[in-house]
Amino acid sequence: MLLIPAIDLKDGQCVRLKQGDLKAATVFSDKPGEMAAHWKDQGARRLHIVDLNGAIAGRPKNEPAFKAIMKALGGEIPVQIGGGIRDLDTIERFLDDGATYMVIGTAAVKNPGLLQDACVAFPGHIIVSIDAKDGKVATDGWSKLSGHEVIDLAKKFEDYGVESILYTDIGRDGMLTGVNIEATLKLAESVSVPIIASGGIASLKDIDALCKLEAEGITAAILGRSLYEGHIDFKKAQKRADDFAKK
């Protein structure tokens, strides 16, 4: 199980939200590069970057912060980035700047042709993000609920050739209430591409529960507030996940 620290960017700072509410942002650092270096030093094997302003604006708004992160990492670990990724030119630009994976969310729902084209143009580099509440898919920085069902969309995106599916229960994100195991497992059982779990992971108990389901296709988990508030020690958590895999 790959554990991935998240760095959420708002106005150039590293923040965490509760249920995607930009007004409820807690600032953890104003030096994104230093934060990225910290997680690398803690043994992170990948980072998850979200441009929160970009998700709302529909175009990237924190590129200087992203470049500071890439400089600090020195190409040593892969980075996946999302938030405001709406066209192929933007995808190509970020990949050229060092990103390994591009996370497409809103655009995948509203313009599935873009996702399909991206998977063809950049095979192995496209992660689709499905953000949901009560089984319905949300878009536009989680500000709007669509009528789409999670499973139906996931199967369609799988056919396009996405590298993996990032699934977030937005009702739990940033709330430290525990990951939605049931919904995440249901999704994993419905498709054959890897699932990255996100939203609500609060303790090692959640890590253990996800590790037990790795054989079902849940191969990674994104950690945010639980790390920044000290509920989970990243180094210990990744070792625990690694040890579980050896059993």
Side-chain angles (χ1 to χ4, degrees):
M1 179 70 61
L2 177 68
L3 304 183
I4 309 173
I7 297 179
D8 288 0
L9 301 172
K10 178 178 181 284
D11 304 330
Q13 299 176 311
C14 304
V15 306
R16 293 305 299 169
L17 307 183
K18 291 183 177 180
Q19 297 180 318
D21 184 359
L22 280 173
K23 296 176 183 176
T26 303
V27 177
F28 285 98
S29 173
D30 60 0
K31 294 182 172 61
E34 290 184 8
M35 184 62 72
H38 167 74
W39 293 126
K40 182 187 72 170
D41 293 343
Q42 288 291 304
R45 298 166 195 160
R46 187 190 299 188
L47 290 184
H48 177 70
I49 314 297
V50 181
D51 184 337
L52 296 171
N53 303 102
I56 299 298
R59 63 186 185 281
K61 303 291 271 184
N62 282 281
E63 287 193 63
F66 168 73
K67 289 180 179 179
I69 288 170
M70 298 310 298
K71 183 177 180 181
L73 295 176
E76 291 184 35
I77 60 173
V79 167
Q80 59 190 54
I81 182 167
I85 311 300
R86 304 285 198 271
D87 57 66
L88 294 178
D89 287 344
T90 300
I91 294 171
E92 186 171 26
R93 186 168 77 250
F94 275 101
L95 290 175
D96 286 345
D97 285 341
T100 303
Y101 304 102
M102 300 303 298
V103 182
I104 303 178
T106 294
V109 179
K110 292 188 167 183
N111 181 13
L114 169 66
L115 180 67
Q116 195 167 21
D117 290 344
C119 289
V120 171
F122 310 105
H125 294 282
I126 306 300
I127 296 172
V128 69
S129 175
I130 298 181
D131 308 318
K133 187 173 184 179
D134 301 325
K136 299 293 185 182
V137 177
T139 62
D140 299 277
W142 302 352
S143 62
K144 298 175 184 176
L145 277 180
S146 72
H148 295 288
E149 297 285 343
V150 170
I151 301 297
D152 293 341
L153 268 187
K155 287 181 177 178
K156 182 165 75 170
F157 295 158
E158 177 183 27
D159 290 340
Y160 291 170
V162 296
E163 192 276 336
S164 54
I165 296 173
L166 167 56
Y167 176 70
T168 305
D169 182 329
I170 63 177
R172 300 188 184 218
D173 189 74
M175 302 304 289
L176 298 175
T177 51
V179 66
N180 190 334
I181 290 290
E182 184 179 356
T184 309
L185 176 59
K186 184 179 178 183
L187 174 59
E189 291 174 336
S190 301
V191 295
S192 60
V193 295
I195 302 298
I196 303 172
S198 176
I201 297 171
S203 66
L204 290 178
K205 182 179 177 182
D206 290 315
I207 303 294
D208 290 344
L210 289 169
C211 283
K212 291 175 183 176
L213 301 175
E214 188 165 11
E216 305 299 327
I218 302 172
T219 61
I222 290 175
L223 308 182
R225 186 173 289 273
S226 59
L227 292 180
Y228 290 97
E229 294 188 353
H231 300 284
I232 293 178
D233 178 288
F234 180 81
K235 192 177 289 187
K236 290 180 180 178
Q238 184 63 72
K239 184 179 185 304
R240 190 182 183 106
D242 292 343
D243 289 344
F244 189 94
K246 296 173 184 176
K247 293 180 181 178

